[in-house]
Amino acid sequence: MLFRSIYNLFYNKKYFTNFNDINFYLQKTPAIPFLILIISLISKNFYFIIIIKNILVFSFYFFCCFKISHYENKNYLFFFILLFIPIIILYNFSVAINFFYEDSLIAILLPLLFLTLITNYKYKYSLISIILFVLYFVKTSMFFIISFVPILIIFLEKKKIIKFLPFLFSLLAILIWGFYGLNKTGRFPILKTSSSINSHVLASVMNENFHRYYPDKSTDLIPIYHKLPNNIKSEWSFYDFYEKKNQEYFEKNLSRYFKDLFIKLKFIFFGINRDGALPDQNGNFDNSIRISLIFSKFLFNLSIILSILVLLKNFKTFFLQKKEIYFFSLVILNLSPHLIAWATSKHLVAISNISMIYLLFYFTDKNKLNL
């Protein structure tokens, strides 16, 4: 559907996709399609698009890391480690340089958001505002982050006026997407309706076969037996049809849904095998161990343990431990939509990179606790 969006933007000057003979204006948020469109105006060469996309994204990350490190008086070793965080784990790097996944941008922008939150960079609130604004148009699962992080900033930060800037930018992003949807479809998209195919996606989770496929096999293979009625002619009637089916399943299979939740948590914290596999020509699935995930899960769990110890040891000054509060908030807010639906390895790259940034600051902080 990404290519359909870009094709329609390029040749029809309109942003929509067609699925089941229905035009979807809210199927996909526009950050990736518009980025690819702008680059393709120079050249439609596949390799050129990938190279320029990554030059732009990584240059932004490197530039911000340099400015923040310099402002925080960090040494060059710290700066170079920070630069290599999105690269050092090969799987994380492979996701970041991709152009098809929205997670390729989230893998860079979300760690950069965390880095900015935990420092005192003089343009901190402006940079946070820009990142939050862009993130909302990258993927609808970012809704929780762009909604709650600005409130957390207002609560934790001392600046009186400028700390409200991220809240204003986040609100602006929600309103832009909302009024675009209202204009095109007659309904204001927000939260779970931010994308009009979310209910169709959830039909794979609200499914008695989910645990037989996830996490080893691709959820695209899960059979969905709901037959779409002939009178479904709009994207919201499409959404409402699957929303009703999902609600019926949830009410009748509550215990199964929560059992599946534990399968997701097990994968998030301990899954090191290749996931979401498709069958090869012989019908076999490759679920071999992915070495990158061993390092990634180890660092993620280590950062969780250390941050919990910091919070426990400083319980009386809990709200002064901003680094740990921001870390936990981003992890929880990022994982929440994936616990409702499902998480794959590529969905977890951003929190893996955030964990490495947290550990870098933890072990280089001169005032760190002797735990």
Side-chain angles (χ1 to χ4, degrees):
M1 288 192 178
L2 172 67
F3 293 110
R4 295 178 196 172
S5 301
I6 297 170
Y7 180 90
N8 286 325
L9 275 172
F10 197 94
Y11 292 103
N12 299 321
K13 312 302 181 187
K14 294 180 180 179
Y15 184 67
F16 71 93
T17 56
N18 189 275
F19 179 64
N20 274 32
D21 294 323
I22 301 171
N23 286 341
F24 284 79
Y25 294 93
L26 299 169
Q27 181 267 331
K28 182 178 285 290
T29 42
I32 290 282
F34 273 91
L35 177 60
I36 301 303
L37 170 70
I38 292 169
I39 299 172
S40 66
L41 292 174
I42 302 171
S43 172
K44 300 186 191 70
N45 181 276
F46 176 78
Y47 297 103
F48 176 83
I49 291 172
I50 293 178
I51 291 169
I52 297 302
K53 173 259 177 186
N54 285 304
I55 288 175
L56 291 173
V57 173
F58 278 90
S59 293
F60 179 65
Y61 176 81
F62 293 163
F63 175 77
C64 292
C65 286
F66 174 76
K67 287 293 185 179
I68 291 172
S69 297
H70 179 72
Y71 191 83
E72 293 283 307
N73 293 316
K74 300 294 185 180
N75 60 36
Y76 283 109
L77 178 60
F78 180 96
F79 169 62
F80 282 117
I81 294 174
L82 195 59
L83 289 188
F84 277 95
I85 279 175
I87 299 171
I88 196 167
I89 294 180
L90 292 180
Y91 178 78
N92 292 4
F93 182 52
S94 71
V95 170
I97 63 173
N98 194 285
F99 80 98
F100 187 75
Y101 307 137
E102 292 98 338
D103 301 277
S104 66
L105 293 183
I106 294 171
I108 301 299
L109 292 178
L110 210 54
L112 188 56
L113 174 63
F114 176 64
L115 173 64
T116 313
L117 283 167
I118 63 175
T119 57
N120 296 306
Y121 181 48
K122 63 179 177 179
Y123 299 117
K124 170 178 180 172
Y125 299 103
S126 298
L127 182 55
I128 289 170
S129 300
I130 293 169
I131 294 172
L132 288 172
F133 182 85
V134 173
L135 276 174
Y136 191 66
F137 295 102
V138 175
K139 198 171 185 179
T140 57
S141 63
M142 294 292 103
F143 179 85
F144 293 122
I145 287 175
I146 79 127
S147 297
F148 291 104
V149 167
I151 296 172
L152 202 58
I153 291 170
I154 293 170
F155 182 77
L156 292 177
E157 301 294 335
K158 294 180 181 179
K159 300 284 185 179
K160 291 184 178 180
I161 302 298
I162 192 68
K163 68 178 180 179
F164 288 90
L165 190 64
F167 175 81
L168 294 176
F169 269 69
S170 296
L171 180 61
L172 180 62
I174 292 172
L175 291 176
I176 289 173
W177 185 242
F179 281 112
Y180 166 78
L182 185 64
N183 177 57
K184 291 294 184 180
T185 70
R187 189 185 293 189
F188 192 97
I190 193 168
L191 198 54
K192 65 179 182 179
T193 64
S194 296
S195 170
S196 52
I197 67 161
N198 275 347
S199 61
H200 181 260
V201 172
L202 281 176
S204 296
V205 181
M206 303 296 179
N207 192 303
E208 61 184 7
N209 293 304
F210 178 77
H211 66 284
R212 298 188 179 99
Y213 286 78
Y214 180 83
D216 295 338
K217 301 176 183 179
S218 171
T219 53
D220 292 335
L221 300 174
I222 298 175
I224 299 175
Y225 299 112
H226 310 316
K227 185 178 180 181
L228 201 64
N230 294 328
N231 64 343
I232 302 295
K233 300 297 182 183
S234 72
E235 60 186 300
W236 288 121
S237 59
F238 177 91
Y239 176 91
D240 291 338
F241 171 78
Y242 283 103
E243 175 71 3
K244 182 180 178 181
K245 294 296 182 182
N246 293 341
Q247 188 62 36
E248 290 172 355
Y249 173 87
F250 183 75
E251 291 172 357
K252 295 177 182 178
N253 300 274
L254 195 60
S255 62
R256 178 67 262 172
Y257 179 81
F258 283 104
K259 287 178 183 177
D260 291 346
L261 181 62
F262 284 103
I263 296 174
K264 299 171 197 175
L265 287 169
K266 180 182 177 182
F267 172 77
I268 288 169
F269 286 95
F270 306 111
I272 59 173
N273 294 80
R274 293 177 181 272
D275 60 292
L278 291 168
D280 61 19
Q281 59 184 3
N282 298 317
N284 298 318
F285 293 85
D286 180 8
N287 296 123
S288 57
I289 290 176
R290 182 177 270 141
I291 301 299
S292 292
L293 291 184
I294 296 176
F295 294 103
S296 183
K297 295 299 169 77
F298 171 76
L299 294 173
F300 174 56
N301 284 289
L302 177 62
S303 63
I304 293 288
I305 293 169
L306 291 177
S307 57
I308 289 173
L309 290 175
V310 170
L311 290 173
L312 290 176
K313 193 144 190 175
N314 293 274
F315 187 74
K316 291 183 179 179
T317 57
F318 181 88
F319 292 107
L320 297 179
Q321 313 308 314
K322 291 194 294 184
K323 183 162 73 258
E324 284 70 30
I325 293 173
Y326 282 132
F327 171 70
F328 269 110
S329 297
L330 286 180
V331 169
I332 292 169
L333 293 170
N334 186 43
L335 287 180
S336 295
H338 299 304
L339 290 174
I340 296 170
W342 67 88
T344 64
S345 293
K346 69 176 183 291
H347 295 146
L348 304 178
V349 169
I351 60 172
S352 172
N353 290 340
I354 288 172
S355 299
M356 286 187 277
I357 292 175
Y358 175 81
L359 291 172
L360 175 62
F361 273 82
Y362 177 84
F363 287 114
T364 59
D365 185 359
K366 294 178 182 179
N367 299 313
K368 69 177 184 292
L369 300 173
N370 296 315
L371 297 174

